[in-house]
Amino acid sequence: MSAEKVTIADVARTAGVSKGLVSFALNNRPGVGAETRVRILQVAQDLGWKPSLRARSLSTQRSFALGLVIARNPEVLASDPFFPSFIAGVESILAAERRALVLSVVPDEETELQTYRSLVADGRVDGVFLSDLRHNDARIPLLTELGLPAVTLGRAEGDSPFPAVTIDDTPGVMESVRYLADLGHRRIAHVAGSTNLLHGTRRREAFAAAMTAAGLPDGQTVETDFSARAGSDATRRLLGQAIRPTAIVYANDPMAIAGLGVAHELGIRVPEDLSITGFDDIDFCRYVFPPLTTVSAAPAVWGRAAATTLLQLMEHGRADDVDLPAARLIIRGSAAPPTRH
């Protein structure tokens, strides 16, 4: 019999029991004798029966899906390979568990909050990944009120009932500044992300602390929305000054790659006239010219750890925080000692 066509009725008929008893046995419910349960499970295995997710959802009142809601401009999301890499890591775990990922991209925070309410009301997900943590994050109390299991990507500000999966990005930013300072750079600028996001603030503070630790004056900082377009605009602004920086530390790789393009356009050589570092170590970094010196944050590893933690939380009602290895600098070809004129 084809495994595609095997049903509970087929298992019941072969085992000589009712469909209801087969359902109880297959779903590990009480009310089935030990010998009968073993016989039913053996028959199901012999016939090649596989559970239907739809049937399991109806019988267990679970959706067998996890959610990821991202409140970002689609243009920003389209230019940033971080989330595809993170999602690939999540999917590598969910596929083995026969679970799905429900992805929603929304324009603002209020729509995001309403999306969580709808996901719970419609029973579409059993848990969610909480990304882009914010100051005074309204999602934490909302998800607590809704009773929806969640894992935060990074530690939330203040109290949170949810386990966190974290990668400390501070050492990577500080290592970037220290590396540039050791090369001889003194005018180092920072193209930062949004300070509305905890990781944008954290990287900005790490940059400032590293400049102080290196004995350098405060570096010029330009805040952006993390998009490649904003990175390009910020770079053009910095390089258009009478006294321009000799090095720029970017808060993510798409902005760094956009900045590299602006430098080429303006006839500014990288790394001879301008050194550049990024953050995330997306795949493109290896193939631009020169290859980008950047900070590795291993988004796929982050995704796998987050998915494993969320499944554990849903299964056992608790899960420990997970601290992944800290972000680290990957030295390639986009940084060199500054040219002396």
Side-chain angles (χ1 to χ4, degrees):
M1 182 177 293
S2 170
E4 295 288 328
K5 298 179 181 179
V6 175
T7 66
I8 284 181
D10 297 322
V11 176
R13 185 169 50 254
T14 303
V17 298
S18 69
K19 290 192 294 183
L21 200 62
V22 170
S23 178
F24 273 46
L26 295 176
N27 287 290
N28 199 29
R29 292 183 176 179
V32 185
E35 291 185 6
T36 302
R37 186 186 303 276
V38 169
R39 180 160 55 88
I40 291 172
L41 294 177
Q42 186 62 55
V43 168
Q45 181 178 339
D46 292 344
L47 293 178
W49 176 86
K50 293 182 179 179
S52 159
L53 281 182
R54 182 179 180 185
R56 289 175 69 197
S57 296
L58 290 172
S59 64
T60 63
Q61 295 186 327
R62 293 183 182 179
S63 66
F64 293 93
L66 305 182
L68 174 61
V69 184
I70 304 172
R72 287 207 189 188
N73 184 318
E75 178 187 335
V76 176
L77 200 61
S79 68
D80 189 349
F82 172 86
F83 277 106
S85 296
F86 174 81
I87 289 170
V90 169
E91 290 282 19
S92 70
I93 299 298
L94 298 192
E97 298 292 327
R98 301 194 70 215
R99 293 177 185 262
L101 179 67
V102 175
L103 174 65
S104 295
V105 179
V106 297
D108 52 53
E109 294 178 29
E110 186 54 43
T111 307
E112 182 180 8
L113 296 176
Q114 186 54 49
T115 299
Y116 288 120
R117 295 186 185 99
S118 298
L119 289 173
V120 171
D122 297 339
R124 294 181 59 199
V125 298
D126 301 320
V128 292
F129 303 99
L130 208 56
S131 67
D132 286 344
L133 297 180
R134 308 176 188 116
H135 299 283
N136 301 314
D137 203 317
R139 296 172 297 176
I140 302 292
L142 174 65
L143 295 179
T144 303
E145 176 189 335
L146 294 173
L148 186 62
V151 164
T152 62
L153 307 184
R155 284 189 172 82
E157 188 179 61
D159 293 333
S160 169
F162 305 121
V165 179
T166 66
I167 292 179
D168 187 358
D169 44 14
T170 297
V173 175
M174 297 192 73
E175 192 177 355
S176 296
V177 173
R178 185 164 56 248
Y179 173 62
L180 293 169
D182 288 346
L183 288 174
H185 291 276
R186 296 295 175 264
R187 297 194 305 275
I188 305 173
H190 180 41
V191 175
S194 171
T195 52
N196 291 329
L197 304 178
L198 293 187
H199 66 281
T201 299
R202 195 165 53 244
R203 292 175 195 178
R204 185 170 185 160
E205 291 175 347
F207 172 79
M211 293 290 285
T212 299
L216 300 177
D218 293 342
Q220 188 173 2
T221 297
V222 181
E223 183 174 340
T224 72
D225 63 0
F226 278 113
S227 70
R229 176 180 296 182
S232 173
D233 292 343
T235 305
R236 199 173 298 277
R237 172 179 161 187
L238 289 168
L239 298 183
Q241 300 174 122
I243 301 178
R244 66 181 187 234
T246 62
I248 304 176
V249 174
Y250 291 83
N252 72 6
D253 288 338
M255 293 199 296
I257 292 171
L260 179 63
V262 170
H264 287 325
E265 177 189 339
L266 297 176
I268 295 173
R269 301 171 302 165
V270 177
E272 293 86 355
D273 302 323
L274 176 70
S275 288
I276 286 175
T277 68
F279 196 104
D280 282 334
D281 194 26
I282 62 177
D283 195 48
F284 296 159
C285 293
R286 299 166 177 78
Y287 305 110
V288 297
F289 182 80
L292 187 66
T293 292
T294 188
V295 174
S296 174
V301 173
W302 208 351
R304 289 195 293 271
T308 301
T309 302
L310 185 50
L311 291 174
Q312 182 181 13
L313 175 63
M314 294 187 304
E315 180 70 22
H316 302 291
R318 67 174 304 278
D320 294 329
D321 290 348
V322 177
D323 291 312
L324 297 172
R328 60 189 180 87
L329 184 66
I330 305 295
I331 297 173
R332 295 195 178 102
S334 63
T339 301
R340 303 296 181 184
H341 295 289

